[in-house]
């Protein structure tokens, strides 16, 4: 949370935690931030860091046993794509076993090689939610919803939105996951490290609905209501509309984390094999965020510290005095519990929050032209209005208060079209497609007054409603980006024999960004010079190949090989907030020559499935090149930042998984993942060279173990899972690490089925299900998300560097859901 860029600190978004692809065992599970708190930039320049798919007939659908807690079979692998040998499909059944409202990516965290971290048990805190696959960070993972690109999953997304704000988890029909470099058909320009493709569920053929309610620790309430129209006429017209509300108090500190959402989907069949569908999403998110931590804070003040804010005047008085002390003004003092800290100013602030409103919609035509040709076209639009706030003790208000509320207020307006055609004939499946998007992104940050406090009397009322801001007294910075993206793909999957797939395809990328309206408040930043403005950059990659082989032999056996190259176009953000080459001074931009990040991934995998055993092993290597890093030098008071190419990362790893089902209803899943991902070169910053060559990449463990035991007897299911994560490098030099830890969860579920069997006249209630879950069963204290505010280079200053979050303690949840 500490937003100062100190000497030798590298931004989180720049860590390029590349890593590579891993194949998901079709066992158990498979079988079936940069919170660029720009607002956290201080007046003394303490600056934040961050850091067309077409549904063509699949040649073969790999059928594997059900996931960890189910004995049902579920299709996994090639789903709606000509060739996706290492893609694993996670169905709605797996998602329903999680705590209601849980971020679907948290469910993916059970997969080998996938790490999901969050400081809340549902994974909904957008500042904290962090997913990495084979060492690739979330900014390097392509994400789509029904083919619509969701952009980079960062805290303050510049070209999309967080998936939890795009669709309610209950409406997710499936997720297609590739932990290697994403396929050429995925509409993404950042999928160096694979892809996650969300597929929304269709409206049901029969009129009815769903209702669910859960209750949990910290006054957690989750409500979901959905109405399905059923078929309205002979042509099969149908739709659904749903409302979701998730409200929870923070487990430490004070404040609310709230998300409400409306989804709607309309489907109009055309004949037997074609249809037109439309999807709509409105989401409204308001969250008080959690304080970032340092190792020093953990050692000296424990793990329960939050913002000063608690809704009371006394908390404002405490923050007010701390701000006076930060600026060396009379009357200033820090709370006594901070006496042993080397950096009291950043150990706590008054408050910080996130507000997001999204409108997302798309219209899709799936047209089966004849027995050989299918054509799919999607048009979409998206608007997001965002506010991230931070009450800073470094920049006072005109009314005399030593604090002001810095509010980053970006807005996204984008629209696009995807169109693809697949032609299947004899032994070949040909595909070609295009994607175009225009994205307009504004990135201003403004300062608003906080009340002055004189003799215990406020100059104006405290406003605890963080949803609305008006009349800023100054602007801190601003930039306006306009980006045009065009991609095209061509591929062919050749089947010389029934059980052999030979795939070759490539993607072409043309991405152009221009930035203007650059403004930097010289009073705030100390007259460093103008911010980058009136310039542009183009990424042109005409040939990004993808080669694959899949061979199925003997009953249940399969081996595949995959080779691909991908590119990550330049990101965008506010001043000094990420690895964007535009987020620096004009002088730094003019003197730096950057190239886009690219990665080659090589993978080989084997899997076996039968009624009793599912097993897999997957080995991979990735060479990540042109890693962009934000390098900071100079003093804390007036740091100088530049984005530079600092070399590459080499990653080698292996995943293995085994699920056994010795008797009906009993299932035991185990997986191990080993990832050796190291930096290829040392890094120079501020005239010094830092020895990071050979160090494991920051924030991602070298070893992970995951297990789950479940038993189903008639209508009752019980399960327990456990996972071990080895130590993770917090500093680039590896001298500070987050310790390894074990985490376990326990749950049970009972299905009553049709209530009409038990209560006269209540037969309309169907599939009544009661659930109970204990998260973090052993009440483990552990470090969850790391690097959301950047990672330190190393040395003594890393001890007090605030850029990780503490995982939630033991939490309890109960739920009931039913269909009607």
């Amino acid at each position: 949370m500490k937003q100062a860029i100190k000497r030798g600190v590298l931004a989180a978004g720049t860590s390029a935690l590349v890593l590579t692809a891993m194949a998901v065992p079709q066992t158990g599970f498979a079988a079936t931030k940069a919170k660029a708190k720009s607002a956290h930039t201080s007046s003394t320049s303490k600056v934040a860091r961050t850091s067309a798919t077409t549904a063509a007939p699949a040649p073969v659908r790999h059928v594997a046993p059900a996931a960890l807690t189910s004995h049902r079979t579920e299709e996994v692998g090639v789903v709606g794509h000509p060739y996706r040998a290492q893609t694993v499909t996670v169905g709605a059944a797996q998602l329903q076993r999680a705590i209601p409202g849980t971020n679907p990516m948290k469910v993916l965290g059970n997969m080998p090689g996938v790490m999901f971290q969050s400081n809340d048990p549902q994974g909904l805190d957008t500042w904290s939610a962090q997913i990495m696959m084979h060492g690739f960070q979330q900014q390097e993972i392509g994400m789509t919803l029904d083919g619509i690109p969701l952009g980079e999953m960062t805290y303050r997304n510049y070209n999309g939105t967080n998936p939890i704000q795009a669709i309610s988890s209950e409406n997710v029909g499936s997720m297609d996951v590739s932990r290697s470099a994403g396929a050429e058909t995925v509409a993404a320009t950042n999928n160096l490290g694979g892809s996650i493709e969300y597929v929304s569920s269709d409206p049901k053929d029969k009129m009815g609905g769903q209702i669910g309610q859960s209750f949990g620790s910290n006054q957690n309430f989750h409500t979901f209501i959905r109405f399905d129209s059923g078929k309205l006429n002979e042509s099969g017209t149908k739709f659904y509309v749903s409302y979701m509300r998730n409200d929870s108090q923070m487990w430490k500190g004070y404040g609310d984390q709230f998300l409400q959402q409306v989804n709607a989907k309309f489907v109009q069949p055309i004949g037997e094999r074609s249809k037109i569908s439309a999807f709509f999403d409105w989401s409204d998110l308001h969250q008080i965020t959690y304080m970032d931590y340092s190792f020093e804070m953990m050692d000296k003040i424990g793990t329960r510290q939050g913002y000063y804010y608690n809704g009371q005047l006394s908390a404002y008085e405490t923050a007010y005095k701390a701000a006076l002390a930060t600026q060396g003004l009379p009357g200033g003092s820090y709370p006594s519990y901070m006496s042993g800290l080397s950096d009291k100013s950043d150990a706590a602030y008054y408050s910080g929050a996130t507000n997001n409103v999204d409108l997302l919609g798309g219209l899709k035509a799936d047209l089966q032209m004849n027995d050989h040709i299918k054509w799919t076209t999607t048009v979409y639009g998206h608007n997001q209005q965002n506010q991230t706030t931070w009450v800073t003790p470094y920049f006072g208000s005109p009314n005399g208060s030593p604090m002001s509320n810095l509010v980053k207020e970006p807005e996204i307006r984008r629209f696009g079209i995807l169109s693809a055609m697949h032609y299947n004939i004899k032994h070949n499946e040909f595909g070609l497609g295009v994607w175009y998007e225009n994205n307009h992104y504004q990135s201003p940050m403004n300062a608003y007054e906080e009340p002055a406090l004189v003799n215990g009397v406020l100059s104006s009322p405290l406003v605890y409603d963080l949803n609305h801001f008006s009349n800023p007294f100054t602007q801190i910075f601003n930039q306006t980006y306009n980006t045009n993206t065009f991609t095209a793909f061509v591929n062919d999957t050749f089947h010389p024999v029934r059980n052999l797939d030979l795939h070759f395809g490539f993607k072409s990328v043309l991405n152009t960004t221009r930035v203007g309206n650059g403004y930097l408040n010289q009073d705030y930043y100390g007259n460093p010079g103008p911010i980058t403005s009136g310039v542009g950059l183009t990424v042109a990659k005409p040939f990004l190949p993808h080669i694959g082989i899949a061979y199925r032999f003997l009953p249940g056996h399969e081996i595949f090989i995959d080779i691909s190259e991908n590119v990550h176009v330049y990101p965008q953000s506010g001043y000094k907030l990420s690895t964007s080459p535009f987020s620096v001074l004009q002088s730094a931009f003019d003197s730096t020559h950057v190239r886009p990040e690219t990665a080659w991934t090589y993978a080989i995998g084997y899997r076996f499935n039968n009624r009793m055993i599912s097993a897999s092993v997957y080995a991979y290597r990735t060479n990540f090149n042109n890693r962009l890093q934000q390098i900071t030098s100079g003093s804390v008071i007036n740091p100088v930042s530049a984005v530079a190419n600092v070399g590459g990362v080499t990653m080698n790893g292996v995943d293995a998984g085994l699920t056994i089902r010795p008797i009906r209803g009993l299932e035991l899943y185990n997986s191990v993942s080993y990832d050796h991902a190291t930096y290829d070169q040392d890094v120079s910053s501020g005239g010094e060279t830092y020895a990071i060559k050979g160090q494991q990449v920051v924030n991602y463990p070298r070893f992970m173990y995951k297990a789950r035991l479940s038993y189903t007897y008639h209508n009752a299911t019980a399960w327990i899972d456990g996972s071990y994560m080895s130590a993770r490098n917090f500093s680039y030099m590896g001298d500070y690490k987050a310790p390894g830890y074990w985490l376990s969860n326990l749950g049970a579920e009972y299905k009553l089925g049709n209530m009409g069997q038990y209560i006269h006249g209540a037969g309309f209630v169907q599939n009544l299900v009661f659930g109970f879950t204990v998260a973090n069963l052993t009440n483990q204290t552990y470090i969850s998300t790391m690097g959301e505010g950047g990672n330190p280079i190393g040395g003594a200053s890393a001890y007090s560097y605030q850029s990780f979050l503490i995982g939630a303690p033991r939490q309890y949840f109960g739920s009931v859901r039913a269909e009607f």
Side-chain angles (χ1 to χ4, degrees), residues 12 23 30 65 69 135 159 209 271 342 380 496 558 595 601 613 628 640 719 721 760 769 781 785 795:
T69 57
N159 65 348
S342 61
Y380 64 90
E558 180 182 14
R595 298 168 61 191
T601 295
I613 296 175
L628 295 183
V640 178
W719 54 267
D721 65 30
H760 180 69
V769 180
T781 298
T785 314

Side-chain angles (χ1 to χ4, degrees), residues 27-49:
T27 69
F29 186 94
T32 349
K33 235 203 214 237
K35 176 181 189 179
K37 274 195 177 176
S38 62
H40 296 201
T41 308
S42 75
S43 61
T44 58
S45 290
K46 289 206 165 193
V47 182
R49 317 155 302 289

Side-chain angles (χ1 to χ4, degrees), residues 10 51 147 196 578 725 741:
L10 305 187
S51 63
I196 302 173
S578 77
M725 183 170 299
Y741 66 89

Side-chain angles (χ1 to χ4, degrees), residues 30-149:
T32 349
K33 235 203 214 237
K35 176 181 189 179
K37 274 195 177 176
S38 62
H40 296 201
T41 308
S42 75
S43 61
T44 58
S45 290
K46 289 206 165 193
V47 182
R49 317 155 302 289
T50 29
S51 63
T53 46
T54 57
V60 177
R61 296 173 69 94
H62 307 289
V63 178
L68 298 175
T69 57
S70 173
H71 59 273
R72 298 170 47 205
T73 62
E74 189 163 341
E75 295 181 0
V76 176
V78 182
V79 179
H81 302 277
Y83 178 84
R84 303 297 288 277
Q86 52 183 333
T87 298
V88 172
T89 296
V90 178
Q94 289 100 308
L95 300 176
Q96 288 177 357
R97 298 180 194 113
I99 298 168
T102 292
N103 187 337
M105 282 186 284
K106 185 177 177 69
V107 178
L108 300 185
N110 294 323
M111 298 170 108
V114 178
M115 182 195 77
F116 180 86
Q117 294 285 359
S118 180
N119 60 3
D120 72 292
Q122 292 175 291
L124 297 181
D125 187 319
T126 56
W127 170 228
S128 174
Q130 179 185 59
I131 189 168
M132 297 177 68
M133 301 196 302
H134 285 176
F136 282 102
Q137 58 190 354
Q138 58 204 26
Q139 295 96 320
E140 296 152 351
I141 300 171
M143 300 187 188
T144 64
L145 170 62
D146 292 342
I148 297 172

